Structures are given as C-alpha cells and as structure tokens.
Amino acid sequence: NAGVTQTPKFQVLKTGQSMTLQCAQDMNHEYMSWYRQDPGMGLRLIHYSVGAGITDQGEVPNGYNVSRSTTEDFPLRLLSAAPSQTSVYFCASKTGHATETQYFGPGTRLLVL
Amino acid sequence: DAKTTQPPSMDCAEGRAANLPCNHSTISGNEYVYWYRQIHSQGPQYIIHGLKNNETNEMASLIITEDRKSSTLILPHATLRDTAVYYCIVRVAEYGGATNKLIFGTGTLLAVQP
C-alpha cells in the first residue's frame, strides 16, 4: 500500500490563481480530511469527508472547496489564492471505526505571492 | 471535544525517559485520549491512545490518572529521532461521522539532547 499520497510537494502561486491539491489513499478508508499548518501553530482542520459524496466544514473552511466523488480521492481546491493561504497542507485518512488511527500524507507546501 | 493543555516545550537527555504531561480537566466519560507526534516537516504520526486504563505499545506508554483529568505520555528511552512536537488530543470515540475528526492544539516541542 502507498498509504496517503499528496501532490504536488511544493507549489508557488500568484494571488488570484486557482489550483487543486490532490490527495489519494489506497486503504479503502471512509474518512478523509484536510489540515493546514502555519509556523508555530498546530494543525487546523479545513474540510473533512465521512464517505464518498459527503463533505463538511472544519475549523477554517473559507477559501477552500472540496469534493469526494470516490472513496480514494479527496482534492482540495483553492479558487482564488491569497497570501494568507500560504501554508503546509496535510491530508489524512482513517476507517470509520472510532478507535482506528488517522494516517497523514507527507504534506504540500504552498506559497502564494 | 474537551480542551487540552500542554507545556510548549520540554528537554530530555538522550537515553532517559521523556515524560510529557497533558491536562484535560473537562474530559467526559466517553472521550479517549490520543497522542500524535510530528517530526519536522513530516505529517503527524499516531503514537497511542487510551480511555481510562494505562496503555503500552512498542513506541510509548500512556498513563491516565484515575480521575482522567490528566495524562502522561512516556517515551522510555528517548533518542534524538524522538525530537518532535507531541500533540495530546481528546475526543469522543464513536463509529463514523464527525466524531472522527481530530482537533489539534499547539502541542509540546520535545527536544532530545545528546
């Protein structure tokens, strides 16, 4: 199993540009989520999904869209990038069983100029 | 989910036990205590979790007080590779739905010194 994969690893955008951060998992996990991490801060939940076709907002959803058309993929879209979205983005997945652990991807480092 | 309080940083000598405290005084009866860590620039990694009994695995031990208002993560023989930010998270453990989401605080930066 590849686990949780994220692409790209690094990205530089100009203000106003759009892009999609990709996340995929091959563990047949029901639950997937996106976090952002800023310097000196913990991870903050952006959006999450409890299964294909179901998404919901986390702590900091503004400026981001998500969709979950398949169990494997959970892309994060920035429609109009802003400098405040400069961050490291982590995708995670787990089964629906409550005590199962959450697996994180390696992260995408995004710089918005 | 209950809020947790952790010291911002701790030092530990290599080879010694690292004891990381966490306060969760508002924890309710159906909430588990989870520990994750994040080594620099990597995604968080699960360490251990427990409800009310002490737990041990190949990575660490988790000691939860009898009143469950606090816990301690113990790394028995810390190495330089254990230098990381350690997160204590409390959440309800139910099947499915929004209860699966983890809310991270700022954690404790453990610096293992040679």
Side-chain angles (χ1 to χ4, degrees), chain B residues 7 12 20 27 48 57 62 74 78 88 93 98 105:
Chain B
C12 177
L20 291 90
I27 193 170
I48 198 168
N57 62 21
L62 174 60
I74 301 173
C88 171

Side-chain angles (χ1 to χ4, degrees), chain A residues 31 35 37 94 96 98 102 109, chain B residues 36 38 41 91 96 100 102:
Chain A
Y31 181 84
Y35 293 85
Q37 185 171 36
K94 68 183 295 294
Q102 189 152 211
R109 286 150 183 77
Chain B
Y36 281 74
Q38 186 176 23
S41 298
R91 71 166 181 87
N100 280 289
L102 291 177

Side-chain angles (χ1 to χ4, degrees), chain B residues 37 39 79-84 86 112:
Chain B
R37 74 179 182 183
I39 297 171
T79 70
L80 298 179
R81 289 176 293 180
D82 291 322
T83 292
Y86 288 77
V112 180

